[in-house]
Amino acid sequence: MEPEGETPAMIRSLYTAATGMEAQQVRLDVTANNLANANTAGFKKERAEFEDLMSTVQRMPGAADQRFPGEPSPLEVGLGVRTAATVRSMERGELINTKNPLDVAIEGAGFLQVRLPGGDLAYTRAGNLRVDSAGQLVTVHGDPIEPDISIPTDATNITIRRDGTVLATVPDRDGPQELGQLELTLFPNPQALVSLGRNLLAANPACGEPLRVRPGEQGSGSIAQGFLENSNVKAVEEMIDMISTQRAYELNSKVIQTADQMLQRLTSLR
Amino acid sequence: MADGMYVSMNGAAARAAQLEAVADDLANAQTSGFKASRPAFATFLAEGGQGQLNFPALVGAAVDLRPGATLVTGLPTDVLPDGGAFLAVSAGDGTMAFTRNGRLQADGHGRLSVLGHTVLGIDGQPLLVPEGSTWSVDGQGTVLANGQEIGRLALFQLSGDVERRGQSLYVPGPNGQALAVEAGVRTGELELSNVSPLAAAVEMIGAQRNFDTSMQAVQTYRRLDERANEVGRTR
């Protein structure tokens, strides 16, 4: 995007303002995605993080300028902004009481593991689980939960305890039977998880070593059966963000107009 | 040709550079911890020229260290050092740099960092949080992981010259220094950019008008020169 080599100041202003407009576009994209997912179970809002670009040092600090004797200060003008990252907020969403025995919410840190068709693991906070035709505990998309939990189709009174133990009453057996154990994964840096869509997040080296624990252990959250964690998007915050994004975009476009008018004025000299 | 034309030209060039600084400030109106730059102008006398002509020029860009607006995020890992103090981070080349962007994250190795730069504790070492622990920062800048103290954020006050390093990082300039200070932090708050869109917009209009005036002066000098040529014409 940046022009090569030395460019006149006004042209540089054009490019600098363009970086500002680009950044605001990214910010709007993020806001739009957050708002669209305001009611997606387990969705975690994102926020675009910006960083200023390296400055052009027009005069090195300490370099003497014969026009101005004395202590020189550096003359550096920045070249605008770029999107450094989108950071996922792991703030907890509101818990909604669904009374559905296969809905689980994680009251604290941690993710449920989901096995993808290729065998890789993905992670989710969306606890709207189902039992598929084979009796396997799966996500709404039919991807099995890891470790496998089989619930016989004729099982009743499914109970999921706070520590993740899954119990159910099975015909011909006395009392509730233990069918499996939900586990959670903790990451040193969960903000670095990458979205795969379908409420799934994928791990990468920046997240650190995953740590598999039983719910409630080692700082992980416990399981709340019959509840769903709603998205943590707050519509009012997003609307305010959207307004300020639009205004910032406009201001940056005004800089482009101004630089353009100044260039026009310059070319009309002759 | 009249020297005044060159004075005007210098004026116009200085205003164009000022616009560049405004463009950069406005582009960073949403960058956490960004500090606006304030271009400074001075006049100089031409070497060997007529003594009464003052040429304007942009001579430096100071960093405005005033605090920016605060965003309340409620996250126990977002910090805002009190009293304008800066967090110390390790810059890419191993040197220390300073930032007001307090969005702390644990990286893949459990080290606290801000946008990929490792944050330093008061002992000058990275702050390591144990795997899988939930951590937070208290009002004294102490980092707690699972209730255990693992270190304290190093806080510095910058004074004198400040240079920009990009990525919201600042370092003291040749005439500046960074002093370790005892300061508290506010948790759950983030500092936004200290660029005032209003002030920047006004500065932009001012720069443009001044530029136009200088350009007008250049044109006037040109007409004067033309007139002078006509006076000397014999025919």
Side-chain angles (χ1 to χ4, degrees), chain B residues 97-120:
Chain B
F98 303 93
T99 185
R100 288 280 291 168
N101 183 0
R103 180 153 283 220
L104 299 177
Q105 267 192 36
D107 70 6
H109 306 287
R111 286 181 306 222
L112 293 197
S113 60
V114 171
L115 286 180
H117 303 289
T118 306
V119 174
L120 302 175

PDB file of all heavy atoms in Angstrom, chain B residues 97-120:
ATOM      1  N   ALA B  97      11.056  -1.242  25.905  1.00  0.00           N
ATOM      2  CA  ALA B  97      10.212  -0.177  25.373  1.00  0.00           C
ATOM      3  C   ALA B  97       9.031  -0.033  26.314  1.00  0.00           C
ATOM      4  O   ALA B  97       8.823  -0.868  27.208  1.00  0.00           O
ATOM      5  CB  ALA B  97       9.762  -0.502  23.961  1.00  0.00           C
ATOM      6  N   PHE B  98       8.274   1.029  26.130  1.00  0.00           N
ATOM      7  CA  PHE B  98       7.210   1.338  27.084  1.00  0.00           C
ATOM      8  C   PHE B  98       5.892   1.542  26.362  1.00  0.00           C
ATOM      9  O   PHE B  98       5.860   2.065  25.253  1.00  0.00           O
ATOM     10  CB  PHE B  98       7.601   2.590  27.875  1.00  0.00           C
ATOM     11  CG  PHE B  98       8.921   2.420  28.567  1.00  0.00           C
ATOM     12  CD1 PHE B  98      10.096   2.825  27.949  1.00  0.00           C
ATOM     13  CD2 PHE B  98       8.990   1.795  29.801  1.00  0.00           C
ATOM     14  CE1 PHE B  98      11.320   2.632  28.562  1.00  0.00           C
ATOM     15  CE2 PHE B  98      10.210   1.596  30.416  1.00  0.00           C
ATOM     16  CZ  PHE B  98      11.381   2.015  29.805  1.00  0.00           C
ATOM     17  N   THR B  99       4.826   1.119  26.998  1.00  0.00           N
ATOM     18  CA  THR B  99       3.525   1.259  26.354  1.00  0.00           C
ATOM     19  C   THR B  99       2.441   1.561  27.376  1.00  0.00           C
ATOM     20  O   THR B  99       2.564   1.205  28.551  1.00  0.00           O
ATOM     21  CB  THR B  99       3.156  -0.015  25.551  1.00  0.00           C
ATOM     22  OG1 THR B  99       1.939   0.217  24.863  1.00  0.00           O
ATOM     23  CG2 THR B  99       2.972  -1.223  26.462  1.00  0.00           C
ATOM     24  N   ARG B 100       1.391   2.228  26.899  1.00  0.00           N
ATOM     25  CA  ARG B 100       0.214   2.478  27.733  1.00  0.00           C
ATOM     26  C   ARG B 100      -0.915   1.528  27.342  1.00  0.00           C
ATOM     27  O   ARG B 100      -2.000   1.602  27.884  1.00  0.00           O
ATOM     28  CB  ARG B 100      -0.280   3.924  27.547  1.00  0.00           C
ATOM     29  CG  ARG B 100       0.606   4.969  28.169  1.00  0.00           C
ATOM     30  CD  ARG B 100       0.391   5.113  29.660  1.00  0.00           C
ATOM     31  NE  ARG B 100      -0.904   5.693  30.008  1.00  0.00           N
ATOM     32  CZ  ARG B 100      -1.401   5.710  31.241  1.00  0.00           C
ATOM     33  NH1 ARG B 100      -0.727   5.151  32.232  1.00  0.00           N
ATOM     34  NH2 ARG B 100      -2.576   6.248  31.480  1.00  0.00           N
ATOM     35  N   ASN B 101      -0.661   0.684  26.354  1.00  0.00           N
ATOM     36  CA  ASN B 101      -1.679  -0.292  25.962  1.00  0.00           C
ATOM     37  C   ASN B 101      -1.674  -1.420  26.991  1.00  0.00           C
ATOM     38  O   ASN B 101      -0.725  -2.193  27.043  1.00  0.00           O
ATOM     39  CB  ASN B 101      -1.367  -0.823  24.552  1.00  0.00           C
ATOM     40  CG  ASN B 101      -2.418  -1.788  24.064  1.00  0.00           C
ATOM     41  OD1 ASN B 101      -3.393  -2.066  24.768  1.00  0.00           O
ATOM     42  ND2 ASN B 101      -2.233  -2.305  22.871  1.00  0.00           N
ATOM     43  N   GLY B 102      -2.689  -1.479  27.811  1.00  0.00           N
ATOM     44  CA  GLY B 102      -2.692  -2.413  28.936  1.00  0.00           C
ATOM     45  C   GLY B 102      -3.511  -3.660  28.699  1.00  0.00           C
ATOM     46  O   GLY B 102      -3.998  -4.272  29.650  1.00  0.00           O
ATOM     47  N   ARG B 103      -3.693  -4.041  27.441  1.00  0.00           N
ATOM     48  CA  ARG B 103      -4.454  -5.270  27.159  1.00  0.00           C
ATOM     49  C   ARG B 103      -3.518  -6.463  27.304  1.00  0.00           C
ATOM     50  O   ARG B 103      -2.856  -6.876  26.370  1.00  0.00           O
ATOM     51  CB  ARG B 103      -5.068  -5.196  25.770  1.00  0.00           C
ATOM     52  CG  ARG B 103      -5.844  -6.447  25.451  1.00  0.00           C
ATOM     53  CD  ARG B 103      -6.931  -6.180  24.469  1.00  0.00           C
ATOM     54  NE  ARG B 103      -8.052  -5.526  25.098  1.00  0.00           N
ATOM     55  CZ  ARG B 103      -9.319  -5.810  24.811  1.00  0.00           C
ATOM     56  NH1 ARG B 103      -9.615  -6.701  23.930  1.00  0.00           N
ATOM     57  NH2 ARG B 103     -10.295  -5.182  25.422  1.00  0.00           N
ATOM     58  N   LEU B 104      -3.463  -6.987  28.526  1.00  0.00           N
ATOM     59  CA  LEU B 104      -2.536  -8.087  28.814  1.00  0.00           C
ATOM     60  C   LEU B 104      -3.122  -9.412  28.348  1.00  0.00           C
ATOM     61  O   LEU B 104      -4.323  -9.642  28.424  1.00  0.00           O
ATOM     62  CB  LEU B 104      -2.268  -8.169  30.316  1.00  0.00           C
ATOM     63  CG  LEU B 104      -1.621  -6.953  30.968  1.00  0.00           C
ATOM     64  CD1 LEU B 104      -1.489  -7.176  32.458  1.00  0.00           C
ATOM     65  CD2 LEU B 104      -0.265  -6.678  30.361  1.00  0.00           C
ATOM     66  N   GLN B 105      -2.222 -10.261  27.859  1.00  0.00           N
ATOM     67  CA  GLN B 105      -2.593 -11.609  27.436  1.00  0.00           C
ATOM     68  C   GLN B 105      -1.476 -12.535  27.863  1.00  0.00           C
ATOM     69  O   GLN B 105      -0.326 -12.115  27.915  1.00  0.00           O
ATOM     70  CB  GLN B 105      -2.643 -11.666  25.911  1.00  0.00           C
ATOM     71  CG  GLN B 105      -3.986 -11.396  25.316  1.00  0.00           C
ATOM     72  CD  GLN B 105      -3.979 -11.770  23.838  1.00  0.00           C
ATOM     73  OE1 GLN B 105      -3.346 -12.722  23.439  1.00  0.00           O
ATOM     74  NE2 GLN B 105      -4.678 -10.996  23.050  1.00  0.00           N
ATOM     75  N   ALA B 106      -1.817 -13.779  28.138  1.00  0.00           N
ATOM     76  CA  ALA B 106      -0.758 -14.760  28.351  1.00  0.00           C
ATOM     77  C   ALA B 106      -0.486 -15.380  26.996  1.00  0.00           C
ATOM     78  O   ALA B 106      -1.406 -15.793  26.308  1.00  0.00           O
ATOM     79  CB  ALA B 106      -1.218 -15.816  29.336  1.00  0.00           C
ATOM     80  N   ASP B 107       0.779 -15.419  26.578  1.00  0.00           N
ATOM     81  CA  ASP B 107       1.065 -16.016  25.273  1.00  0.00           C
ATOM     82  C   ASP B 107       1.166 -17.540  25.420  1.00  0.00           C
ATOM     83  O   ASP B 107       0.915 -18.096  26.485  1.00  0.00           O
ATOM     84  CB  ASP B 107       2.319 -15.395  24.642  1.00  0.00           C
ATOM     85  CG  ASP B 107       3.604 -15.780  25.362  1.00  0.00           C
ATOM     86  OD1 ASP B 107       3.531 -16.619  26.276  1.00  0.00           O
ATOM     87  OD2 ASP B 107       4.654 -15.239  24.994  1.00  0.00           O
ATOM     88  N   GLY B 108       1.543 -18.215  24.344  1.00  0.00           N
ATOM     89  CA  GLY B 108       1.563 -19.678  24.343  1.00  0.00           C
ATOM     90  C   GLY B 108       2.479 -20.284  25.391  1.00  0.00           C
ATOM     91  O   GLY B 108       2.316 -21.438  25.781  1.00  0.00           O
ATOM     92  N   HIS B 109       3.465 -19.508  25.847  1.00  0.00           N
ATOM     93  CA  HIS B 109       4.378 -20.009  26.877  1.00  0.00           C
ATOM     94  C   HIS B 109       3.967 -19.551  28.272  1.00  0.00           C
ATOM     95  O   HIS B 109       4.712 -19.747  29.231  1.00  0.00           O
ATOM     96  CB  HIS B 109       5.803 -19.541  26.590  1.00  0.00           C
ATOM     97  CG  HIS B 109       6.273 -19.900  25.213  1.00  0.00           C
ATOM     98  ND1 HIS B 109       6.606 -21.179  24.851  1.00  0.00           N
ATOM     99  CD2 HIS B 109       6.415 -19.141  24.100  1.00  0.00           C
ATOM    100  CE1 HIS B 109       6.944 -21.201  23.569  1.00  0.00           C
ATOM    101  NE2 HIS B 109       6.824 -19.979  23.092  1.00  0.00           N
ATOM    102  N   GLY B 110       2.817 -18.901  28.375  1.00  0.00           N
ATOM    103  CA  GLY B 110       2.356 -18.436  29.678  1.00  0.00           C
ATOM    104  C   GLY B 110       2.937 -17.096  30.076  1.00  0.00           C
ATOM    105  O   GLY B 110       2.735 -16.637  31.197  1.00  0.00           O
ATOM    106  N   ARG B 111       3.703 -16.446  29.152  1.00  0.00           N
ATOM    107  CA  ARG B 111       4.272 -15.142  29.489  1.00  0.00           C
ATOM    108  C   ARG B 111       3.241 -14.057  29.230  1.00  0.00           C
ATOM    109  O   ARG B 111       2.574 -14.070  28.195  1.00  0.00           O
ATOM    110  CB  ARG B 111       5.503 -14.848  28.612  1.00  0.00           C
ATOM    111  CG  ARG B 111       6.718 -15.634  29.006  1.00  0.00           C
ATOM    112  CD  ARG B 111       7.857 -15.237  28.101  1.00  0.00           C
ATOM    113  NE  ARG B 111       7.462 -15.382  26.701  1.00  0.00           N
ATOM    114  CZ  ARG B 111       8.264 -15.899  25.769  1.00  0.00           C
ATOM    115  NH1 ARG B 111       9.468 -16.286  26.069  1.00  0.00           N
ATOM    116  NH2 ARG B 111       7.850 -16.001  24.516  1.00  0.00           N
ATOM    117  N   LEU B 112       3.139 -13.106  30.151  1.00  0.00           N
ATOM    118  CA  LEU B 112       2.218 -11.996  29.922  1.00  0.00           C
ATOM    119  C   LEU B 112       2.786 -11.122  28.817  1.00  0.00           C
ATOM    120  O   LEU B 112       3.974 -10.838  28.783  1.00  0.00           O
ATOM    121  CB  LEU B 112       2.040 -11.160  31.194  1.00  0.00           C
ATOM    122  CG  LEU B 112       1.344 -11.826  32.360  1.00  0.00           C
ATOM    123  CD1 LEU B 112       0.890 -10.764  33.343  1.00  0.00           C
ATOM    124  CD2 LEU B 112       0.159 -12.636  31.899  1.00  0.00           C
ATOM    125  N   SER B 113       1.911 -10.706  27.901  1.00  0.00           N
ATOM    126  CA  SER B 113       2.388  -9.890  26.798  1.00  0.00           C
ATOM    127  C   SER B 113       1.302  -8.917  26.355  1.00  0.00           C
ATOM    128  O   SER B 113       0.139  -9.066  26.699  1.00  0.00           O
ATOM    129  CB  SER B 113       2.809 -10.785  25.634  1.00  0.00           C
ATOM    130  OG  SER B 113       1.709 -11.552  25.211  1.00  0.00           O
ATOM    131  N   VAL B 114       1.734  -7.909  25.624  1.00  0.00           N
ATOM    132  CA  VAL B 114       0.829  -6.934  25.016  1.00  0.00           C
ATOM    133  C   VAL B 114       1.121  -6.945  23.533  1.00  0.00           C
ATOM    134  O   VAL B 114       2.240  -6.631  23.121  1.00  0.00           O
ATOM    135  CB  VAL B 114       1.061  -5.520  25.586  1.00  0.00           C
ATOM    136  CG1 VAL B 114       0.277  -4.494  24.779  1.00  0.00           C
ATOM    137  CG2 VAL B 114       0.674  -5.445  27.041  1.00  0.00           C
ATOM    138  N   LEU B 115       0.164  -7.338  22.732  1.00  0.00           N
ATOM    139  CA  LEU B 115       0.318  -7.422  21.277  1.00  0.00           C
ATOM    140  C   LEU B 115       1.637  -8.090  20.895  1.00  0.00           C
ATOM    141  O   LEU B 115       2.386  -7.597  20.054  1.00  0.00           O
ATOM    142  CB  LEU B 115       0.239  -6.032  20.638  1.00  0.00           C
ATOM    143  CG  LEU B 115      -1.148  -5.403  20.579  1.00  0.00           C
ATOM    144  CD1 LEU B 115      -1.090  -4.029  19.932  1.00  0.00           C
ATOM    145  CD2 LEU B 115      -2.119  -6.291  19.826  1.00  0.00           C
ATOM    146  N   GLY B 116       1.941  -9.189  21.549  1.00  0.00           N
ATOM    147  CA  GLY B 116       3.130  -9.957  21.187  1.00  0.00           C
ATOM    148  C   GLY B 116       4.421  -9.504  21.841  1.00  0.00           C
ATOM    149  O   GLY B 116       5.452 -10.145  21.678  1.00  0.00           O
ATOM    150  N   HIS B 117       4.384  -8.402  22.587  1.00  0.00           N
ATOM    151  CA  HIS B 117       5.589  -7.950  23.277  1.00  0.00           C
ATOM    152  C   HIS B 117       5.523  -8.405  24.728  1.00  0.00           C
ATOM    153  O   HIS B 117       4.547  -8.114  25.423  1.00  0.00           O
ATOM    154  CB  HIS B 117       5.717  -6.440  23.232  1.00  0.00           C
ATOM    155  CG  HIS B 117       5.717  -5.891  21.835  1.00  0.00           C
ATOM    156  ND1 HIS B 117       6.776  -6.062  20.989  1.00  0.00           N
ATOM    157  CD2 HIS B 117       4.774  -5.233  21.129  1.00  0.00           C
ATOM    158  CE1 HIS B 117       6.491  -5.516  19.827  1.00  0.00           C
ATOM    159  NE2 HIS B 117       5.272  -5.008  19.892  1.00  0.00           N
ATOM    160  N   THR B 118       6.567  -9.083  25.173  1.00  0.00           N
ATOM    161  CA  THR B 118       6.579  -9.629  26.526  1.00  0.00           C
ATOM    162  C   THR B 118       6.628  -8.515  27.561  1.00  0.00           C
ATOM    163  O   THR B 118       7.479  -7.625  27.489  1.00  0.00           O
ATOM    164  CB  THR B 118       7.789 -10.563  26.702  1.00  0.00           C
ATOM    165  OG1 THR B 118       7.731 -11.528  25.659  1.00  0.00           O
ATOM    166  CG2 THR B 118       7.761 -11.245  28.044  1.00  0.00           C
ATOM    167  N   VAL B 119       5.717  -8.560  28.513  1.00  0.00           N
ATOM    168  CA  VAL B 119       5.661  -7.552  29.571  1.00  0.00           C
ATOM    169  C   VAL B 119       6.667  -7.928  30.659  1.00  0.00           C
ATOM    170  O   VAL B 119       6.839  -9.109  30.973  1.00  0.00           O
ATOM    171  CB  VAL B 119       4.232  -7.486  30.151  1.00  0.00           C
ATOM    172  CG1 VAL B 119       4.163  -6.567  31.348  1.00  0.00           C
ATOM    173  CG2 VAL B 119       3.261  -7.022  29.084  1.00  0.00           C
ATOM    174  N   LEU B 120       7.341  -6.927  31.212  1.00  0.00           N
ATOM    175  CA  LEU B 120       8.357  -7.193  32.216  1.00  0.00           C
ATOM    176  C   LEU B 120       7.849  -6.881  33.625  1.00  0.00           C
ATOM    177  O   LEU B 120       7.081  -5.944  33.829  1.00  0.00           O
ATOM    178  CB  LEU B 120       9.605  -6.358  31.927  1.00  0.00           C
ATOM    179  CG  LEU B 120      10.223  -6.599  30.547  1.00  0.00           C
ATOM    180  CD1 LEU B 120      11.375  -5.640  30.313  1.00  0.00           C
ATOM    181  CD2 LEU B 120      10.688  -8.034  30.404  1.00  0.00           C
TER     182      LEU B 120
END
